[in-house]
Amino acid sequence: MRATLRWVIWDVKDTLLKVRTSVGEQYCKEAERVGLNLSPVEVEAAFRQAYRHHSSRYPNYGISQGMDGRSWWMSVVRDTFCRCRVQDPALLNSIAHNLYHNFCNAENWEVFPDSKKTLERCSSLGLKLGVVSNFDSRLEEILRVCGLLSHFRFLITSEEAGVAKPSPAIFKQALQKCGVLAADVAHIGDHYVNDYLASRSVGIHGFLLDRQDKHSQLDVRQEHRLSSLEELPSLLQKLMH
């Protein structure tokens, strides 16, 4: 018997929503509240260095090294401002604490215009929806304040799972939650390796969302490539018959 699509699992950041303004601007805004006047360009560059350093040294929020998402992010923030010559430990802790909690606010996130409509359309086709995201434990609250949480039957974050995309293990956890074969599941995300290749490596129908046509050189079949989420439901319907 031929497999029939039952589930769609989703990446979140840069697929369904994005950070509203640059990290440099958001971090500077918080620094201003405690009297620091810094350049968003400098802070953005420092953040990228700090983020790269922590991601390499403490992958997936340092879970396997006894950290969690909160302590990992606070360390990234402190490191970012240290690189901008802010030395006061109390000040660094205060900024890090505030920024960690700020990112749960709806005003820091922008839901793409095609997200809600596509999620509703997928549900109306009889498909069940879940999330697999390289994100920390704040994801549930962020989806809730952005009005998206109710669409999903389950959320798996890499912090909770203890493993991150592109590891097949996080997709296998998702398949257990779905309770169906990989051939009955589709995945949609914006990252070629973490989303497209990783989902397809376990037999899931992977689709690559490429809103700005950045990945046109990559080896992705045309019918697996989307420039907008609005194209997804008709592609999924073909897998349902």
Side-chain angles (χ1 to χ4, degrees), residues 30-159:
E30 188 53 47
E32 266 177 43
R33 288 185 190 161
V34 293
L36 295 173
N37 187 14
L38 298 167
S39 142
V41 174
E42 183 190 8
V43 173
E44 180 86 33
F47 167 75
R48 288 180 188 283
Q49 291 173 339
Y51 183 85
R52 267 200 305 272
H53 170 75
H54 279 73
S55 298
S56 154
R57 191 161 175 199
Y58 310 106
N60 193 27
Y61 309 111
I63 301 300
S64 62
Q65 292 135 297
M67 296 174 83
D68 61 13
R70 184 175 183 275
S71 60
W72 190 90
W73 273 114
M74 286 186 64
S75 184
V76 169
V77 174
R78 283 194 297 264
D79 187 10
T80 299
F81 284 101
C82 279
R83 290 169 191 264
C84 299
R85 301 165 307 285
V86 179
Q87 302 297 336
D88 181 344
L91 207 56
L92 290 168
N93 274 335
S94 170
I95 294 170
H97 172 84
N98 290 345
L99 279 169
Y100 180 80
H101 291 285
N102 284 355
F103 273 87
C104 285
N105 297 338
E107 59 264 26
N108 283 336
W109 298 94
E110 183 178 335
V111 177
F112 288 110
D114 53 6
S115 295
K116 286 185 185 179
K117 195 162 75 173
T118 304
L119 292 169
E120 286 163 6
R121 184 83 202 287
C122 289
S123 294
S124 74
L125 291 173
L127 294 164
K128 296 172 184 171
L129 312 180
V131 162
V132 177
S133 174
N134 283 357
F135 215 96
D136 58 68
S137 60
R138 293 173 295 177
L139 185 62
E140 183 173 343
E141 176 64 10
I142 289 166
L143 287 171
R144 190 184 68 74
V145 298
C146 289
L148 298 178
L149 185 63
S150 61
H151 293 285
F152 303 109
R153 305 286 182 105
F154 69 82
L155 306 182
I156 295 178
T157 64
S158 59
E159 178 177 1

